[in-house]
Amino acid sequence: MSRFFSNRHNGLTAYVPGEQPKDLPYIKLNTNESPYPPSPGVLSAVAGEATKLMLYSDPTAQALNEAVADVLSVSADCLLMTNGSDEILNFAFMAFGDEAHPFIMPDITYGFYPVFARLNRIPFEEIPLRQDFSVDVDALIRARGNIIIANPNAPTGMVLPLSEIERIVASDRDRIVVVDEAYIDFGGDSAIGLIGRYDNLLVTRTFSKSYSLAGGRLGFGVACPALIRDLNTIKYSINPYNVNRMTMAAGVAAMRENAYYMENCRRIMATRAYTAEKLGERGFSVLPSETNFLFARHHSVSGSRIYTGLRERGILVRHFSHPRIVDYNRITVGTAEQMNALLAGLDDILQEEAR
Ligand SMILES: *Cc1c(COP(=O)(O)O)cnc(C)c1O
């Protein structure tokens, strides 16, 4: 830290993204990217748009709003497009949090939430997940303040039924509830259908996982028009051109080819079931996942040993140091071939440990 760094940021520890190493051709199962490439229409749309890069992108994102509105059956004025969903999450903290409106979140969830709270100097409270890693809905409801949850949750992969989400949103109409649906295309029921009835609900989505666009940086929020206007006030105070031209064109094309992405999600869900079963046969307990990753713990080999053993074999998974989950690894569901390589690597490690 230089002597110029503002005191406002005392105690800020930045989010640490999953590693993106450049040394070996790793099998990357550590950041929940899609193993499948973008659809052909996305590739040509991006190439076509590149010829217009001398011009700013549309700050209202009108074409993309309309394309997404069509697929989700919502009104276009209920949408706000952002540079990844991380940006809409930060906007939510900035727009709705202050000393009197802290954010309530589970103790084990997306690591960016506490970072955004600290960055914006908004108090936050962490509510422990239950012993089985399910979200303690009653404890969340009892806490006073805005609520932010990922559904399905990360890194556990576990989902809450829509009725429980609605119970949280309805518990206090004077607090904001942010539901981060980064993984909703892999199994859970979306809360988007509730936004017409609850003006305190913000649902966030990303193109990074189910739409093969992690490198494009595209996400969005869905909420009633009044909340979208508040979030736009934040956006236009930071960067009106927050989504670049090529990404905007990619998003529109992806919506046109929605069926391709939904088919990829079905393939990943099938591979997930296969992998969970094979992990079980090898002595892992695997949490029930409605996402494109599995959260797994071996009955005798430590989580860090599994992580380093796989890394030595060219396979990257995500290991977290939080004491409650230190025995676990989060494994992205890739192609069936990648999963077979993972299982072979694990067999090797487990044999070595047995010696
Ligand atoms: C990946 C992820 C995001 C955001 O990813 P972006 O690439 O910024 O869209 C948000 N929430 C959760 C829980 C995630 O896992």
Side-chain angles (χ1 to χ4, degrees):
M1 193 200 319
S2 83
R3 66 187 189 281
F4 304 105
F5 198 49
S6 168
N7 286 330
R8 286 197 311 127
H9 304 307
N10 279 347
L12 178 65
T13 23
Y15 178 70
V16 182
E19 46 190 333
Q20 305 282 1
K22 301 179 178 66
D23 50 343
L24 269 178
Y26 285 97
I27 296 179
K28 268 195 93 265
L29 307 176
N30 67 329
T31 50
N32 298 341
E33 291 143 323
S34 175
Y36 303 113
S39 51
V42 167
L43 304 184
S44 54
V46 168
E49 200 64 21
T51 63
K52 300 180 202 149
L53 278 180
M54 73 295 257
L55 303 173
Y56 281 110
S57 58
D58 172 12
T60 71
Q62 189 184 340
L64 181 54
N65 279 339
E66 286 170 3
V68 171
D70 210 41
V71 167
L72 295 182
S73 306
V74 296
S75 158
D77 61 357
C78 296
L79 296 170
L80 173 57
M81 297 295 147
T82 53
N83 195 304
S85 63
D86 289 339
E87 190 176 53
I88 187 77
L89 293 168
N90 187 34
F91 287 177
F93 277 89
M94 295 184 80
F96 307 120
D98 58 38
E99 279 296 326
H101 302 89
F103 269 82
I104 314 298
M105 59 188 76
D107 64 336
I108 294 166
T109 188
Y110 188 35
F112 230 136
Y113 305 154
V115 175
F116 286 138
R118 288 196 187 97
L119 174 65
N120 295 300
R121 310 214 292 171
I122 297 161
F124 66 96
E125 185 185 344
E126 295 177 313
I127 306 293
L129 295 182
R130 292 204 195 83
Q131 201 62 41
D132 66 357
F133 292 123
S134 61
V135 173
D136 190 341
V137 171
D138 291 307
L140 277 182
I141 287 174
R142 275 194 305 274
R144 299 287 292 258
N146 297 323
I147 292 175
I148 183 162
I149 52 168
N151 197 48
N153 196 15
T156 64
M158 289 166 64
V159 77
L160 281 178
L162 185 54
S163 56
E164 287 293 89
I165 297 291
E166 180 161 11
R167 201 156 70 81
I168 295 169
V169 180
S171 67
D172 177 357
R173 304 293 290 260
D174 291 321
R175 68 164 144 216
I176 293 287
V177 178
V178 181
V179 182
D180 176 350
E181 294 190 340
Y183 299 103
I184 200 73
D185 291 324
F186 301 102
D189 288 325
S190 175
I192 286 178
L194 300 178
I195 62 157
R197 279 186 284 137
Y198 296 97
D199 68 357
N200 60 321
L201 170 64
L202 169 65
V203 177
T204 68
R205 291 283 190 95
T206 178
F207 280 72
S208 295
K209 279 79 189 223
S210 48
Y211 286 91
S212 303
L213 275 180
R217 312 304 304 126
L218 184 58
F220 59 93
V222 195
C224 69
L227 292 193
I228 295 296
R229 278 195 294 277
D230 294 341
L231 292 160
N232 262 314
T233 301
I234 302 294
K235 172 188 127 153
Y236 281 88
S237 304
I238 296 177
N239 181 7
Y241 311 106
N242 61 334
V243 180
N244 74 73
R245 273 187 172 274
M246 291 183 293
T247 293
M248 201 106 69
V252 172
M255 289 294 95
R256 278 198 211 107
E257 295 175 324
N258 194 44
Y260 164 81
Y261 297 99
M262 293 303 105
E263 176 57 25
N264 286 348
C265 289
R266 279 190 290 275
R267 282 155 77 182
I268 288 168
M269 287 154 71
T271 310
R272 176 179 75 200
Y274 164 81
T275 310
E277 188 188 323
K278 297 290 169 189
L279 288 171
E281 290 168 11
R282 286 161 174 79
F284 284 88
S285 35
V286 184
L287 297 190
S289 169
E290 300 291 335
T291 61
N292 67 340
F293 59 82
L294 292 164
F295 203 50
R297 171 175 70 101
H298 194 265
H299 70 76
S300 62
V301 182
S302 77
S304 60
R305 173 76 190 94
I306 299 276
Y307 165 80
T308 45
L310 286 172
R311 197 173 201 289
E312 285 159 14
R313 289 164 179 80
I315 301 166
L316 284 183
V317 297
R318 189 90 197 254
H319 183 248
F320 298 90
S321 55
H322 190 295
R324 279 190 78 181
I325 54 174
V326 73
D327 288 335
Y328 285 79
N329 280 288
R330 190 193 70 191
I331 305 166
T332 304
V333 177
T335 61
E337 298 73 56
Q338 289 176 320
M339 295 297 102
N340 285 330
L342 167 86
L343 294 167
L346 288 172
D347 285 340
D348 208 30
I349 294 165
L350 296 175
Q351 252 173 36
E352 211 172 84
E353 289 295 308
R355 256 186 252 128

